[in-house]
């Protein structure tokens, strides 16, 4: 008869395990409601051992946020093949899948982390770190959008449109998490339509944006999301 022997984890392996455990807990409960004891119990180790790898809850939380931000950035990555509308719909599907899976953790990330009093130097450093992670996610999404449009440097109006749309996607996701009262698939499509609408409105004031709109619609198939938006708008005005 043999007995199982628990394998001892290396330092980095244990750190990654604790980050995964913390991220899972933060995805199901508000970070303020998760304690070091909760994390230790879920990881199957003692509370002092958690402190051996992370000096405190904030440092572990920051590591979890960093992991979450990297995963969120990856959701905006899409092959530059096919019509833009279909690509953006794929991106929105993966984005909302992440939001759906990590609800409370996503909310905490986008709202600046857990409710800490930014009075001490460590707390202020945490706020700064969290803000930097959020900015990095937004900048990555912005650069991905430019790449999808095939534009190296955006003129002012296009930059405004893209950054406004990213903010809209973020705020829409946060509102949706509060009750999920609208079907997720509808919001994914709506946000794709929102991007086209923002470009279209800007195109009425700027010839450069009109060129962007023409390029977007040039390869749009009849059953694509942008074509669907045009059909819906046409039916409203006929």
């Amino acid at each position: 008869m043999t007995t199982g022997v628990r394998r001892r984890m290396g330092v980095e392996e244990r750190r990654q395990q604790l980050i995964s455990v913390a991220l899972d807990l933060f995805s199901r409960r508000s970070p303020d409601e998760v304690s070091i004891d909760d994390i230790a119990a879920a990881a199957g180790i003692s509370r002092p051992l958690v402190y051996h790898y992370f000096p405190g809850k904030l440092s572990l939380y920051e590591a979890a946020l960093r992991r979450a931000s990297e995963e969120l950035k990856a959701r905006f990555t899409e092959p530059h093949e096919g019509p833009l509308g279909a690509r953006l719909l794929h991106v929105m599907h993966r984005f909302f899948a992440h939001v759906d899976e990590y609800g409370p953790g996503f909310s905490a990330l986008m709202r600046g982390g857990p409710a800490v009093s930014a009075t001490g130097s460590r707390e202020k450093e945490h706020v700064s770190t969290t803000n930097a992670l959020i900015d990095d996610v937004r900048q990555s999404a912005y650069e991905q959008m430019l790449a999808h449009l095939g534009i190296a440097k955006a003129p002012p109006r296009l930059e405004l449109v893209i950054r406004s749309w990213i903010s809209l996607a973020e705020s829409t996701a946060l509102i949706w998490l509060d009750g999920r009262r609208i079907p997720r698939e509808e919001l994914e499509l709506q946000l794709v339509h929102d991007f086209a609408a923002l470009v279209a409105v800007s195109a009425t004031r700027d010839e450069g944006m009109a060129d962007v709109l023409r390029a977007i619609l040039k390869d749009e198939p009849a059953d694509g999301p942008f074509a669907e938006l045009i059909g819906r708008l046409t039916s409203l005005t006929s």
Side-chain angles (χ1 to χ4, degrees), residues 32-207:
D32 293 312
E33 299 173 357
V34 177
S35 68
I36 288 292
D37 288 330
D38 294 329
I39 295 168
I45 62 176
S46 66
R47 174 189 176 97
L49 193 54
V50 175
Y51 283 112
H52 176 73
Y53 293 99
F54 293 94
K57 178 181 169 179
L58 274 182
S59 62
L60 179 52
Y61 183 71
E62 286 171 7
L65 283 184
R66 194 168 285 107
R67 169 89 66 84
S69 69
E70 289 300 319
E71 292 183 7
L72 184 55
K73 284 163 58 177
R75 302 298 173 116
F76 285 90
T77 303
E78 173 73 16
H80 299 168
E81 301 171 357
L84 179 64
R87 281 184 259 159
L88 291 188
L89 194 56
H90 292 158
V91 169
M92 286 297 97
H93 177 71
R94 287 198 302 273
F95 171 67
F96 269 89
H98 178 93
V99 171
D100 203 3
E101 181 179 0
Y102 293 108
F106 174 82
S107 295
L109 173 63
M110 290 302 162
R111 288 176 172 142
V116 295
S117 176
T119 54
S121 59
R122 183 67 186 93
E123 286 76 13
K124 290 179 180 179
E125 180 184 343
H126 167 74
V127 172
S128 178
T129 298
T130 304
N131 289 340
L133 289 173
I134 296 169
D135 289 342
D136 188 45
V137 171
R138 291 169 177 158
Q139 182 62 24
S140 178
Y142 172 74
E143 291 171 359
Q144 285 288 339
M145 288 299 297
L146 283 183
H148 281 297
L149 292 169
I151 297 174
K153 183 175 176 56
R157 286 187 187 274
L158 180 57
E159 179 177 3
L160 179 62
V161 163
I162 295 175
R163 294 196 186 278
S164 296
W165 180 72
I166 292 170
S167 296
L168 177 61
E170 176 187 318
S171 59
T172 297
L174 288 172
I175 294 170
W176 177 76
L177 279 172
D178 185 18
R180 294 173 169 83
R181 290 163 291 181
I182 299 175
R184 195 181 102 185
E185 294 77 9
E186 290 184 16
L187 287 184
E188 292 167 2
L189 179 60
Q190 180 178 311
L191 281 165
V192 175
H193 287 171
D194 287 337
F195 179 75
L198 287 169
V199 173
V201 170
S202 187
T204 65
R205 300 176 177 274
D206 184 273
E207 184 57 32

